[in-house]
Amino acid sequence: MTGPVIVTDIARADAATIDALAEHGVATVHEALGRVGLVGAGIRPIQDGARIAGSAVTVSSWPGDNLMIHAAVEQCEEGDILVVSTTSPSTDGAFGELFATALQVRGVRGLVTTTGVRDVVDLRDMEFPVWSSAINAQGTVKATAGSVNIPVVVGGVTIHAGDVVIADDDGVMVVPRAEAEAALAASDTRVDKEAADREAYRGGELSLDRKGLRDTLTLLGVRWVTQQDYDAH
Ligand SMILES: O=C([O-])CC(=O)C(=O)O
Ligand SMILES: [Mg+2]
């Protein structure tokens, strides 16, 4: 379909699966999925300590224009995360505490945006978590058509409406909706493995031995030499 659209009634992943993914956090799910889905590190949290997951409601906006964010609020439901991208780069402050107020009332868990945001003192105070490209008071207009709930690119990653977005202090990642269950199972397995690793490291075991990395170093031609031998050659 061409032209601006607002897609309604999007499909979402299972709520319990989304909540369990939130508990695992970005780094674990990213590793468990095979190191995919990570949004570029240019999208940063404005707060410390928030860890959320939710279904993406996506916005494709004109730069410097937040009309389509206004349109998207109506499409948001309990447990969603609003994801905003612009058709060309813009760090204008397209979002602030008024939008956050409207979204919080609808049970939206947070915002991920390639734009800038403003009112950050208020956003932090009201505990509405935000990941953005910039903090910027620059105001925007409401004049240009865009789309809601079409695929958008954020930090090099394509996010479809209804995909599971996970965000915490490490960054933001996306799990395609159809892979949410598999991502959770793989994350559970990884957490068990890391628990065993942690126990071993607490006991003094070296990761070099536990992961067989001495062989890797040897295969790569790395040699262990005493300082005396090193200095002598
Ligand atoms: O109204 C705007 O343009 C963005 C903003 O500052 C808010 O949501 O509070
Ligand atoms: Mg404001």
Side-chain angles (χ1 to χ4, degrees):
M1 193 177 288
T2 55
V5 289
I6 297 171
V7 179
T8 66
D9 301 294
I10 62 168
R12 292 167 170 85
D14 169 66
T17 305
I18 295 172
D19 289 348
L21 285 169
E23 286 196 19
H24 283 313
V26 172
T28 294
V29 181
H30 165 64
E31 285 288 338
L33 261 190
R35 298 202 191 109
V36 294
L38 195 61
V39 165
I43 308 294
R44 304 305 311 154
I46 67 161
Q47 67 288 314
D48 288 328
R51 176 173 268 178
I52 61 170
S55 301
V57 168
T58 63
V59 180
S60 175
S61 266
W62 201 257
D65 191 313
N66 67 5
L67 173 63
M68 298 318 292
I69 302 180
H70 287 275
V73 172
E74 185 181 29
Q75 302 307 320
C76 288
E77 292 180 4
E78 174 92 34
D80 287 344
I81 294 178
L82 189 65
V83 176
V84 178
S85 183
T86 50
T87 49
S88 55
S90 170
T91 55
D92 290 351
F95 184 100
E97 54 86 20
L98 285 176
F99 274 132
T101 300
L103 291 174
Q104 228 167 18
V105 162
R106 301 180 80 82
V108 173
R109 293 181 172 167
L111 169 78
V112 172
T113 182
T114 64
T115 71
V117 294
R118 62 187 190 179
D119 310 327
V120 295
V121 170
D122 302 309
L123 292 172
R124 290 177 183 134
D125 276 355
M126 63 199 284
E127 296 187 8
F128 185 83
V130 169
W131 289 256
S132 70
S133 68
I135 291 170
N136 188 353
Q138 176 63 56
T140 54
V141 300
K142 304 164 197 10
T144 321
S147 290
V148 175
N149 284 331
I150 67 166
V152 296
V153 177
V154 177
V157 173
T158 302
I159 302 180
H160 295 80
D163 283 351
V164 181
V165 170
I166 309 169
D168 62 21
D169 286 356
D170 287 348
V172 178
M173 74 159 300
V174 60
V175 178
R177 183 170 57 87
E179 291 175 36
E181 308 282 342
L184 178 57
S187 300
D188 287 343
T189 302
R190 185 172 174 86
V191 164
D192 290 346
K193 182 192 151 298
E194 289 200 340
D197 287 345
R198 194 171 300 111
E199 213 39 48
Y201 299 150
R202 283 197 179 121
E205 191 173 344
L206 295 174
S207 53
L208 271 184
D209 296 319
R210 187 164 175 82
K211 295 178 182 294
L213 296 176
R214 286 185 199 284
D215 292 344
T216 305
L217 290 172
T218 303
L219 275 171
L220 291 172
V222 179
R223 291 172 297 135
W224 281 256
V225 295
T226 63
Q227 186 171 43
Q228 199 175 25
D229 284 350
Y230 183 76
D231 289 344
H233 289 90

